[in-house]
Amino acid sequence: MDAKAQNWDDLRYFLAVAKTGSLSGAARRLGVNHSTVFRRIGAFETQLGVRLFERLPSGYLLTQAGEEMREGALRVEDEIASLSRKVTGQDLRLSGTIRVTTLDMLAFGLLPRHLANFRTVYPGIEVELIVGNVTLNLNRREADIALRVGNTPPETLVGRRVGQLVFAIYGSENYLAGKGGTGLEQHDWIGFDTEHAALTRRFSAFLPAAQPLLRTNSIAAAIAATKAGMGLAPLPCGLADLEPDLVHVAALPEDFTLDLWLLTHEDLRQTARIRAFLDFLAGELAREAPLLKGNGRAGPASSMQNHPMNAEARASATRR
């Protein structure tokens, strides 16, 4: 592994495959096609005269040489990212591109209207939105800004809490029409998988006997399934209350609340375009606090106020 290896573009392709374990995953990460990654990795190995990956049916596995290369490449990546952040932090122009990452539920149900307003106010700033439940690394400039949920943001990032997502039980009008006074535990439920472990644990404590017939890693998908009449689901009020087909059936205990954080790296906080986005979105979300907390609908679920399910949920929430 001589000086010829010090081509950052080669290392970038190498790290993408090392992190994702596949050509297709690396291609998505880099925004190129599968064949480009295949060609670049092959050429890099030929240039070095060493095999960096074992090609297995399950994906690309690092060889011992590849493991050593990864350690060095990560150090190079950190240095380049640090330099990039410091240089970008001196940028005082209200123009250029910012990379924003967030969960699918926020990207689909919350951000679009605010991004449209931001574009009107700051036409020179282009927003690149990266959607997914996998947390991107802001230290390595995989994104510039993150809109995340959770009660303990990483210590390496700076930002502010910009709201709270309160959850409640929702169902579609068609589904509820055929259920009468059925108790909560006898209902069909839509739940979440291990990517939403905190919500899953809280729901299991709230209704131990309820067994979801559908589990998903996507709250946006859970909203769609609830609208389709598959059952009830614990959903964030700030998104579900915007859906006219959904009925706010019952409240949930106070621990079904997630803080909403707007975060960036310390080196980027004074970059003009990033500062502008942080301040703008924080102001927009502050104005939406009633909606996010479940107070956005005038008389939410008034037709359900005296429903037996509501009384049961209130009693359960009181016990907990």
Side-chain angles (χ1 to χ4, degrees):
M1 298 185 190
D2 57 23
K4 293 183 292 184
Q6 305 309 308
N7 180 329
W8 170 237
D9 212 33
D10 289 334
L11 292 176
R12 196 165 60 89
Y13 276 81
F14 164 76
L15 279 175
V17 177
K19 289 176 180 178
T20 63
S22 69
L23 297 180
S24 57
R28 287 192 297 271
R29 193 183 192 99
L30 296 168
V32 298
N33 59 47
H34 177 282
S35 60
T36 299
V37 180
F38 176 79
R39 177 174 52 80
R40 292 296 298 263
I41 291 298
F44 191 34
E45 289 181 324
T46 299
Q47 176 185 334
L48 295 174
V50 67
R51 199 169 184 83
L52 299 173
F53 295 99
E54 295 291 349
R55 279 69 165 171
L56 303 175
S58 58
Y60 273 48
L61 182 67
L62 285 167
T63 63
Q64 183 176 350
E67 292 280 1
E68 294 176 3
M69 174 66 77
R70 180 176 61 179
E71 295 304 313
L74 287 173
R75 289 194 295 271
V76 173
E77 183 182 49
D78 286 341
E79 288 297 323
I80 290 175
S82 177
L83 178 61
S84 175
R85 290 194 308 268
K86 289 175 181 176
V87 171
T88 303
Q90 308 302 315
D91 193 344
L92 302 180
R93 298 170 301 164
L94 287 172
S95 61
T97 300
I98 54 176
R99 289 164 57 85
V100 180
T101 178
T102 193
L103 304 176
D104 66 345
M105 66 167 174
L106 301 177
F108 299 147
L110 183 65
L111 273 183
R113 57 187 178 275
H114 301 311
L115 293 180
N117 293 338
F118 181 78
R119 176 66 177 174
T120 300
V121 177
Y122 297 100
I125 301 176
E126 177 184 345
V127 177
E128 182 178 339
L129 184 61
I130 307 164
V131 181
N133 293 330
V134 177
T135 301
L136 296 186
N137 192 322
L138 270 64
N139 291 327
R140 292 183 175 150
R141 291 300 304 277
E142 293 177 346
D144 301 316
I145 295 169
L147 181 62
R148 294 178 179 169
V149 295
N151 298 328
T152 53
E155 294 181 0
T156 56
L157 303 179
V158 296
R160 66 189 88 172
R161 193 182 74 169
V162 291
Q164 287 185 308
L165 289 179
V166 173
F167 283 65
I169 297 172
Y170 289 84
S172 71
E173 293 182 356
N174 289 339
Y175 172 82
L176 292 167
K179 290 299 179 178
T182 305
L184 283 176
E185 291 187 344
Q186 284 71 52
H187 271 271
D188 296 330
W189 283 93
I190 299 157
F192 303 104
D193 69 6
T194 54
E195 287 191 20
H196 299 283
L199 288 176
T200 301
R201 287 194 302 269
R202 292 167 189 171
F203 185 77
S204 295
F206 176 64
L207 285 180
Q211 293 296 319
L213 58 84
L214 171 69
R215 293 184 186 273
T216 176
N217 69 337
S218 165
I219 289 180
I223 291 175
T226 308
K227 290 172 63 177
M230 291 190 68
L232 302 182
L235 300 173
C237 300
L239 306 182
D241 281 347
L242 297 176
E243 301 289 345
D245 298 333
L246 293 183
V247 176
H248 182 159
V249 174
L252 284 168
E254 290 184 1
D255 61 354
F256 280 85
T257 301
L258 294 173
D259 289 338
L260 193 59
W261 291 87
L262 193 55
L263 303 166
T264 190
H265 193 278
E266 172 69 30
D267 292 340
L268 298 180
R269 66 187 309 178
Q270 299 305 325
T271 303
R273 61 182 179 274
I274 291 174
R275 180 85 266 156
F277 186 88
L278 293 171
D279 291 343
F280 181 89
L281 189 57
E284 293 281 290
L285 294 177
R287 284 187 284 275
E288 290 206 337
L291 173 66
L292 299 178
K293 291 183 177 180
N295 303 319
R297 242 183 214 176
S302 58
S303 62
M304 299 298 293
Q305 291 295 329
N306 299 314
H307 196 284
M309 286 188 291
N310 230 338
E312 179 184 345
R314 286 195 296 269
S316 182
T318 301
R319 289 195 298 272
R320 290 171 175 79

